[in-house]
Amino acid sequence: MRLSTLTLLGLILPILRIYACNDHAHARRGGDGHGHGHEHGHGHGHEHEPSVPKGLSPPTRPLEWGDINILHTTDSHGWLLGHQKTSFPEPNYSADLGDFASFVTHMKKIANEKGVDLLLVDSGDLHDGTGITDGFPPGGVDAHDANEFVKMLPYDVMAIGNHELYIYANTLDMHENFVPALNGRYLSSNVNITVTGDDGNPLDIPVGERFAKFKTKHGRKITSLGVLFDFTDNDRNTTVQKVADMVNEQWFKDVIQEEPDLFLLVGHMPVSRDNWPLVFDAIRAVHPTTPILILGGHTHIRDCVQLDNRSMALESGRYMETVGWMSAKLDRKDSTDDIRFSRRYLDTNRVTYEYHTKKNDHEFDTSLGEKITNGLQDLSARFHLDTVFGTAPQDYLYLSAPYPSNNSLFSLFINQVVPVALQVNKTESAPPALFMVNSGLIRFDLYSGPFTRNDQFTIAPFADSFRYLSNIPLSDAMAAFNALNGAGDSERRQETEELVARHYDAIQGYERGEVDLIFNNWLKKMDQEIDVQRRAMKNLTLGYVTQDSCPGVGDDTQHATIPFFLDVPKFIVSEPPTGDDITSDTPIDFVFVDFIEGSILSILNSLQTEKVYTSNDTMRYSDLLSNAVLGVFAQEVWN
Ligand SMILES: *[C@@H]1O[C@H](CO)[C@@H](O)[C@H](O)[C@H]1NC(C)=O
Ligand SMILES: *[C@@H]1O[C@H](CO)[C@@H](O)[C@H](O)[C@H]1NC(C)=O
Ligand SMILES: *[C@@H]1O[C@H](CO)[C@@H](O)[C@H](O)[C@H]1NC(C)=O
Ligand SMILES: *[C@@H]1O[C@H](CO)[C@@H](O)[C@H](O)[C@H]1NC(C)=O
Ligand SMILES: *[C@@H]1O[C@H](CO)[C@@H](O)[C@H](O)[C@H]1NC(C)=O
Ligand SMILES: *[C@@H]1O[C@H](CO)[C@@H](O)[C@H](O)[C@H]1NC(C)=O
Ligand SMILES: *[C@@H]1O[C@H](CO)[C@@H](O)[C@H](O)[C@H]1NC(C)=O
Ligand SMILES: *[C@@H]1O[C@H](CO)[C@@H](O)[C@H](O)[C@H]1NC(C)=O
Ligand SMILES: [Zn+2]
Ligand SMILES: [Zn+2]
């Protein structure tokens, strides 16, 4: 990363921060209440003065190397420029893809010196998540340009994710432009694409390869697969085969027949509560003791499971916050003893990378790393991602602040951002309005400092339009909101929950790729289970505190948990209009995003019988889409 005006502003702005009174918000600033957050404004410049963000202390202990060692990334979703904000825990994840490339180069060298193998593996979801992937100009393809840099890393195996499949053009781009760079190691065991064959007829073929068999540098024979969970929301002309069906295919049985030194199962499938056991059991039925290493993904958490003592399954988080490490000491070929595995979740920053490669800041960068960093910066400039809409006066958090509260991004969004942005340029005075959106519209925290075009992509990427019903009595609109959030007596609650389930879960849901619920529950559990002692330890900073089911401590750096507030409802509503002439009967404009229109119409119809509302009654409220309101608001209010 370069030291830009953004980072310089970041140095000054924390001083202006508004400090909240509640303990959690204090903890969020660095855990020690001493204004930790003030000291960490530095980015690191590659060109002239490499430096690490101040205040980052090294990991707890060196990595445990084995004969076979793996560096694992997953669900990077375009976070290739690293996390660039100065509020914690963001600096912990401040390394960019160039830094990671340098890290990989040094680690490969260490592996060579030790005479062991180091493999680089990715479990998918390269698309959707930041401006560098999603901010392409008209006519472009999501992640196409960003992936040019991913290609420059020496990945040994990559697997396809569900985010490669929502839009056919993205899958086709992977098939035509990305797969060839991986030389047969981009795996999609149960995912096909339909293309036009040479004869003009449709051709149904794997996006990448179904499997790969290869030998490592040190001569170990590996059989590798790339498996996607049972995803159903893929675009037309792409096919996802159920995992249970895949393991019954003849090609699968043929591939696993020959015994390698180890099976390397890479895939976009969580290591807990999903279908890895189907693949594992199919292999174990043929090879009871062959080592099986599994690298999973998709639910964005840090997790590890051992299905037996000669196997380990690791999942390495999200958004380039975590690099996973797995190592195994392989024994004689016919051994049945427990294999000695290790696993670690590395925070992605230069302190971590330099610690584990024993490099100082001046000798760390490689020419490949610098080339990638500079190339990504150029791409960012080409996509205008640094355009500043305004300067946020404080952090607004989506999961780590209570809702409603002054620190809650949901509160800011629904009470200020949406109402203000939708009134900009409206000449006639609009009737009083009540605004309602689904909380899933927000995907990330909004940190103090410059609010950029890239931030708009990371925080609110969904392009929903705002529609409204006019002349709805205020009390009816509020009743609809309350009912949708499951308030009221239990009978009614059950009724409305079923209603919501029908309309809402039809458009979200696990098999359609929705993972927020699992990720949020993981944070919630972390927040609840963290022992009081750890929370009180003044020297710890915020981050993940992972409790998985593998032996030993997984986190590379000790943290205190990020506070989590779970009571964010599915729907959020603006404060009702006030004034002398406003009563519960006052007719208002009831404004909502089109995504939840069906839920709102059904609930209104279940609450009263005078009128049957249909989509014909709703009208467009504004030309602004939900992915643009933050920018407009920042321009108006934070400038
Ligand atoms: C993460 O950030 C905190 C901030 O103070 C630091 O103490 C911790 O060591 C960082 N983690 C790593 C791996 O550098
Ligand atoms: C799928 O692709 C084939 C071949 O390119 C094309 O003929 C067909 O119309 C496509 N199907 C759909 C549903 O778009
Ligand atoms: C995927 O493509 C292969 C190769 O053409 C074909 O044999 C297989 O039936 C396809 N699988 C699915 C699930 O469409
Ligand atoms: C691994 O071995 C230990 C000790 O023998 C045993 O207690 C444990 O149940 C085994 N774990 C699995 C997953 O088989
Ligand atoms: C929240 O902000 C409002 C408006 O600035 C202020 O009146 C109120 O006291 C704040 N509440 C808290 C808990 O700080
Ligand atoms: C408001 O109008 C100005 C001047 O025409 C225009 O530049 C701006 O984009 C408009 N803003 C919105 C949110 O429509
Ligand atoms: C924090 O302090 C405790 C003892 O008070 C020590 O054991 C631990 O290693 C320290 N952690 C860090 C990250 O410095
Ligand atoms: C909406 O209006 C159109 C045209 O007037 C009509 O054909 C359609 O049935 C209406 N839809 C509903 C759900 O009432
Ligand atoms: Zn993902
Ligand atoms: Zn996914």
Side-chain angles (χ1 to χ4, degrees):
M1 287 164 65
R2 75 193 156 178
L3 241 185
S4 61
T5 31
L6 293 191
T7 37
L8 288 175
L9 267 173
L11 289 173
I12 301 159
L13 280 161
I15 299 159
L16 304 175
R17 266 188 208 149
I18 297 165
Y19 279 79
C21 301
N22 77 52
D23 288 345
H24 278 302
H26 260 298
R28 193 66 170 55
R29 296 279 187 285
D32 58 8
H34 296 140
H36 220 119
H38 289 194
E39 298 153 18
H40 306 298
H42 295 274
H44 46 267
H46 282 248
E47 294 89 350
H48 305 298
E49 37 171 335
S51 67
V52 296
K54 280 217 180 89
L56 292 192
S57 55
T60 43
R61 61 216 188 276
L63 294 168
E64 193 179 320
W65 287 75
D67 306 305
I68 188 97
N69 305 277
I70 293 170
L71 286 172
H72 180 224
T73 54
T74 188
D75 295 272
S76 52
H77 289 287
W79 284 83
L80 309 180
L81 282 164
H83 292 244
Q84 300 166 306
K85 301 296 177 180
T86 53
S87 302
F88 275 96
E90 291 301 277
N92 280 84
Y93 318 127
S94 52
D96 66 18
L97 190 73
D99 299 327
F100 181 59
S102 298
F103 176 60
V104 171
T105 301
H106 298 313
M107 289 291 281
K108 289 247 178 197
K109 190 152 170 284
I110 294 172
N112 280 344
E113 285 160 11
K114 290 179 184 289
V116 297
D117 285 311
L118 177 68
L119 301 178
L120 180 60
V121 168
D122 181 88
S123 295
D125 271 7
L126 300 177
H127 291 85
D128 304 330
T130 71
I132 208 90
T133 46
D134 310 348
F136 55 88
V141 174
D142 190 277
H144 173 87
D145 299 81
N147 281 347
E148 291 302 309
F149 299 100
V150 177
K151 277 183 196 172
M152 292 181 191
L153 277 95
Y155 274 102
D156 293 282
V157 178
M158 297 184 94
I160 199 164
N162 56 305
H163 278 264
E164 275 74 74
L165 298 169
Y166 285 101
I167 296 172
Y168 179 77
N170 297 352
T171 320
L172 186 64
D173 182 53
M174 293 301 285
H175 177 68
E176 291 181 337
N177 300 316
F178 193 81
V179 166
L182 266 284
N183 295 320
R185 305 280 189 80
Y186 186 85
L187 304 184
S188 62
S189 302
N190 58 338
V191 184
N192 276 11
I193 183 169
T194 306
V195 294
T196 308
D198 291 338
D199 58 359
N201 291 323
L203 192 62
D204 182 25
I205 46 172
V207 178
E209 304 296 326
R210 278 173 162 168
F211 65 92
K213 292 189 179 189
F214 59 97
K215 257 196 184 155
T216 64
K217 189 162 193 173
H218 294 279
R220 291 198 171 75
K221 279 166 63 187
I222 294 190
T223 296
S224 195
L225 296 161
V227 187
L228 180 66
F229 74 99
D230 291 351
F231 175 55
T232 62
D233 205 19
N234 52 307
D235 205 355
R236 66 197 162 72
N237 271 338
T238 69
T239 316
V240 180
Q241 183 182 39
K242 296 235 176 311
V243 178
D245 294 334
M246 179 194 76
V247 298
N248 285 323
E249 291 266 359
Q250 192 56 46
W251 73 260
F252 179 86
K253 291 175 181 167
D254 293 345
V255 163
I256 65 168
Q257 202 55 44
E258 182 191 10
E259 187 185 17
D261 293 316
L262 64 105
F263 285 95
L264 180 65
L265 309 184
V266 184
H268 200 72
M269 180 153 71
V271 297
S272 300
R273 294 176 299 275
D274 210 310
N275 283 327
W276 279 118
L278 290 177
V279 189
F280 179 87
D281 291 346
I283 293 173
R284 274 288 173 260
V286 188
H287 306 290
T289 58
T290 312
I292 301 179
L293 278 57
I294 301 178
L295 287 309
H298 181 58
T299 42
H300 294 181
I301 68 174
R302 294 177 172 185
D303 199 8
C304 179
V305 173
Q306 285 190 275
L307 293 171
D308 68 22
N309 279 326
R310 292 182 62 77
S311 169
M312 182 176 267
L314 182 73
E315 185 174 345
S316 306
R318 61 162 199 180
Y319 299 172
M320 289 307 278
E321 293 169 346
T322 303
V323 168
W325 166 263
M326 189 195 285
S327 72
K329 287 208 159 63
L330 299 177
D331 39 16
R332 317 182 308 282
K333 198 163 170 88
D334 52 355
S335 167
T336 57
D337 295 345
D338 294 358
I339 289 178
R340 186 174 172 87
F341 285 103
S342 84
R343 61 86 182 70
R344 196 80 68 78
Y345 308 104
L346 277 55
D347 288 357
T348 50
N349 58 62
R350 287 171 63 103
V351 175
T352 299
Y353 294 165
E354 289 169 10
Y355 175 91
H356 288 303
T357 55
K358 298 194 173 69
K359 295 281 174 201
N360 70 37
D361 214 34
H362 295 277
E363 57 193 18
F364 179 75
D365 294 302
T366 62
S367 56
L368 174 66
E370 282 175 343
K371 184 176 165 196
I372 291 175
T373 295
N374 294 333
L376 285 167
Q377 296 291 355
D378 291 347
L379 180 57
S380 173
R382 192 148 63 78
F383 285 3
H384 306 294
L385 300 181
D386 287 343
T387 302
V388 176
F389 292 114
T391 303
Q394 61 166 92
D395 292 346
Y396 294 97
L397 309 174
Y398 80 129
L399 298 176
S400 307
Y403 170 80
S405 78
N406 285 352
N407 301 317
S408 165
L409 180 53
F410 294 119
S411 295
L412 176 82
F413 191 77
I414 200 61
N415 288 323
Q416 296 182 54
V417 172
V418 170
V420 168
L422 297 190
Q423 296 309 327
V424 168
N425 289 354
K426 281 215 167 168
T427 43
E428 78 281 18
S429 77
L434 192 73
F435 300 89
M436 179 168 155
V437 304
N438 54 308
S439 57
L441 218 53
I442 302 288
R443 187 172 63 179
F444 204 68
D445 294 321
L446 195 162
Y447 293 106
S448 72
F451 177 80
T452 65
R453 199 168 112 81
N454 190 47
D455 298 327
Q456 186 156 266
F457 280 110
T458 61
I459 296 167
F462 306 103
D464 296 342
S465 66
F466 288 91
R467 303 194 60 82
Y468 75 113
L469 290 159
S470 65
N471 286 317
I472 302 290
L474 176 58
S475 57
D476 283 9
M478 281 309 292
F481 165 74
N482 286 326
L484 280 173
N485 270 335
D489 62 64
S490 59
E491 197 179 320
R492 158 112 292 167
R493 188 179 308 143
Q494 195 184 341
E495 215 173 277
T496 59
E497 268 172 12
E498 277 162 20
L499 197 68
V500 172
R502 273 209 305 282
H503 285 285
Y504 195 83
D505 294 343
I507 34 186
Q508 313 211 68
Y510 185 77
E511 66 286 354
R512 304 193 62 155
E514 187 52 52
V515 298
D516 290 353
L517 194 63
I518 293 167
F519 182 77
N520 294 353
N521 280 339
W522 181 61
L523 289 185
K524 175 177 143 193
K525 197 159 163 274
M526 196 184 286
D527 187 47
Q528 285 169 346
E529 289 180 357
I530 181 75
D531 56 80
V532 179
Q533 208 183 349
R534 171 83 80 102
R535 204 190 276 293
M537 246 191 245
K538 298 286 187 245
N539 59 352
L540 293 185
T541 55
L542 296 178
Y544 295 123
V545 180
T546 310
Q547 285 175 310
D548 58 24
S549 56
C550 291
V553 175
D555 292 315
D556 195 41
T557 301
Q558 251 197 323
H559 289 295
T561 48
I562 305 163
F564 181 83
F565 294 85
L566 67 157
D567 45 2
V568 175
K570 266 188 176 167
F571 303 92
I572 53 177
V573 77
S574 60
E575 272 153 15
T578 51
D580 292 343
D581 46 348
I582 305 268
T583 69
S584 64
D585 296 332
T586 303
I588 54 141
D589 286 345
F590 189 18
V591 187
F592 42 82
V593 281
D594 57 358
F595 187 74
I596 62 173
E597 180 172 303
S599 308
I600 289 189
L601 295 174
S602 312
I603 206 83
L604 281 173
N605 290 333
S606 81
L607 289 172
Q608 52 82 47
T609 49
E610 279 159 44
K611 179 171 165 55
V612 177
Y613 290 97
T614 74
S615 55
N616 282 356
D617 299 313
T618 72
M619 293 162 285
R620 175 167 273 239
Y621 191 74
S622 162
D623 288 339
L624 273 187
L625 300 180
S626 59
N627 62 358
V629 289
L630 276 165
V632 172
F633 172 82
Q635 237 156 4
E636 287 291 310
V637 178
W638 287 344
N639 240 325

